[in-house]
Amino acid sequence: MKRNRIWTALFLAYGALMLWLLFDRPGYTPEVPYWDQVAQQLNLVPFRTLRLFAELLDSSHPEYVRAAVINLGGNILMFIPLGFLLPKVFPKCATLPRVLLATAAIITAVELLQLFTLVGSCDIDDLILNVLGAAMGYWLHKLI
């Protein structure tokens, strides 16, 4: 029972940290029409952003390479704890399909919230990378 409280506390702390990282930034710019900003922040074409970052990784500009590594790596690494903690806190999420489904639902909600609050972008590639990170966390959970 005490162990479950520890996992729950870690899960809540992780969730709070993620909310802060994902939503603590400027949003709407009044000078640009709202729906124009929404359209600029939306990518529903799978692998479009991943291709752009892959090209940046091959760049001779270190700042572009750094931005690509941070975006690609961050979108994976930041969600490893979710895949690890979900089965610990929610025993019904103890299978990979359930972890992936729960992660996809959570990320879709976050992406849509970021889009309509204009506090980030809504990118299908973020969803792909985040779910990959959660899958890695799930396998880490299984190994331990």
Side-chain angles (χ1 to χ4, degrees), residues 46-130:
F47 306 109
R48 175 189 286 167
T49 306
L50 292 176
R51 267 193 299 276
L52 292 173
F53 281 121
E55 291 171 11
L56 290 179
L57 287 172
D58 202 26
S59 171
S60 60
H61 299 335
E63 64 274 6
Y64 294 161
V65 173
R66 183 175 183 270
V69 168
I70 288 172
N71 188 286
L72 296 171
N75 271 306
I76 294 170
L77 292 174
M78 287 175 45
F79 288 88
I80 290 174
L82 184 62
F84 182 86
L85 292 169
L86 273 173
K88 300 259 187 227
V89 177
F90 302 101
K92 289 186 178 182
C93 272
T95 66
L96 181 60
R98 288 183 179 184
V99 166
L100 298 182
L101 185 61
T103 300
I106 291 166
I107 300 310
T108 299
V110 166
E111 292 290 319
L112 290 173
L113 192 56
Q114 282 184 317
L115 176 66
F116 291 114
T117 60
L118 297 172
V119 184
S121 63
C122 180
D123 193 327
I124 189 71
D125 292 338
D126 286 350
L127 174 68
I128 292 166
L129 293 173
N130 297 162

Side-chain angles (χ1 to χ4, degrees), residues 8-21:
T8 301
L10 286 172
F11 182 77
L12 292 173
Y14 167 75
L17 175 64
M18 292 303 293
L19 287 173
W20 176 70
L21 289 171

